[in-house]
Amino acid sequence: MAKDDQPRTPQEFRDLLKAGYDYPEEVDDERGRRRRRARRAHRQAERARTAQWIAEERRREPISARAALLIVAVLLGVGVFARLGPDWITGRDEGAGHVAAAPTAAPSAADDKPPAPTAPAPSPPAPSATVDLSDPETVAEQFARHYLTRNPPEDQDHTGAVRRAAPWATPALVENLSQSDDPAFERLVSRGGISTVSTVTVKPAGGQLPPDNPLRVWRTVTAKVDVVGYTTYSETTVLQCELTATDGQWRVARVLGV
């Protein structure tokens, strides 16, 4: 009988727990939270492959009750190892190689726990001389132009557009948009598109929305968005914007339709 056909020894099963993981280059190239997620996904895949291999071994040859118990122990051990990760055993921090700004506590199994909630988005920058906040129509128009202009290859995610529109928005709206998904951005990415705004019209909202008062108004903003990508097309986007005034400066506080 060839070596590959010999029954596996208990020691060979134990070695599965000591081998650790060899991560692909594309996993090690990631940094921070993305690297931890990629490593965790790789370990889970390895665990699944190990379970499949053991199942094949069991079908190939009869095993004793003792060997069956050992296989169960191996599977449980691999599961614990996959959850804790090799860094728990070696005490090595995934951030090694980066200069730390201050001493930090020793890494532990908590490194593989879900990341802590992200910090609130920063407040929008103070308006410059080119940012006109004197009337709600101008603010609504500029917000729509900057928010609906998207360049996924450069922005990477939808928060790039949020940052560009931030000078015309309240801090609360900037935070809300930054932390929420944006289906329009994902759709633009799937079409390989880059969007620009050619025209914007702003009108009083009316309808079921509250009436204007000196500190709060609603405006209907209609923007023509031109997209260049796998196909070239134009689409119309309508936003219902609530604007509030503080110290005579208007900003968009809420948007319906995004």
Side-chain angles (χ1 to χ4, degrees):
M1 180 181 295
K3 178 175 176 55
D4 290 341
D5 295 330
Q6 293 292 336
R8 304 290 177 177
T9 67
Q11 183 59 42
E12 288 176 318
F13 282 112
R14 294 188 188 100
D15 288 342
L16 289 172
L17 295 176
K18 301 178 181 178
Y21 292 96
D22 292 326
Y23 295 104
E25 291 184 2
E26 58 269 20
V27 172
D28 286 332
D29 286 342
E30 298 289 349
R31 289 294 180 269
R33 189 182 309 162
R34 290 185 177 179
R35 186 181 188 187
R36 288 196 294 273
R37 286 200 296 263
R39 283 190 166 196
R40 185 158 52 248
H42 179 76
R43 291 195 297 270
Q44 290 172 348
E46 286 296 312
R47 178 187 177 190
R49 283 193 288 270
T50 300
Q52 182 179 4
W53 174 81
I54 290 176
E56 291 294 333
E57 289 292 306
R58 293 183 64 182
R59 285 196 290 269
R60 288 175 51 187
E61 60 189 32
I63 59 175
S64 64
R66 179 182 177 185
L69 290 175
L70 180 59
I71 290 174
V72 172
V74 168
L75 284 174
L76 291 175
V78 169
V80 172
F81 188 86
R83 188 165 185 82
L84 297 178
D87 293 338
W88 174 77
I89 295 177
T90 62
R92 177 172 56 86
D93 187 358
E94 288 184 347
H98 295 279
V99 179
T104 57
S108 66
D111 288 343
D112 274 336
K113 290 183 179 180
T118 56
S123 300
S128 66
T130 60
V131 177
D132 184 1
L133 303 176
S134 61
D135 70 273
E137 283 72 21
T138 300
V139 171
E141 176 188 354
Q142 291 301 313
F143 174 85
R145 283 188 181 277
H146 288 80
Y147 183 67
L148 297 176
T149 297
R150 277 95 184 278
N151 188 338
E154 291 186 2
D155 293 344
Q156 299 300 311
D157 58 38
H158 75 283
T159 60
V162 176
R163 289 192 297 270
R164 285 191 292 273
W168 296 273
T170 63
L173 178 60
V174 172
E175 179 180 350
N176 181 273
L177 292 175
S178 297
Q179 296 182 357
S180 302
D181 294 332
D182 189 337
F185 183 87
E186 299 301 328
R187 184 169 62 251
L188 187 65
V189 171
S190 69
R191 297 172 179 176
I194 295 175
S195 67
T196 57
V197 177
S198 55
T199 62
V200 179
T201 59
V202 180
K203 296 180 179 179
Q208 301 298 318
L209 296 173
D212 292 355
N213 64 57
L215 299 179
R216 187 182 305 271
V217 301
W218 283 90
R219 293 293 181 264
T220 297
V221 183
T222 304
K224 180 183 177 184
V225 181
D226 301 321
V227 178
V228 176
Y230 300 143
T231 59
T232 299
Y233 61 95
S234 296
E235 60 184 7
T236 299
T237 300
V238 178
L239 307 176
Q240 299 285 4
C241 297
E242 178 187 18
L243 297 98
T244 58
T246 303
D247 297 329
Q249 294 184 330
W250 290 89
R251 284 189 173 88
V252 178
R254 186 161 35 145
V255 181
L256 305 181
V258 297

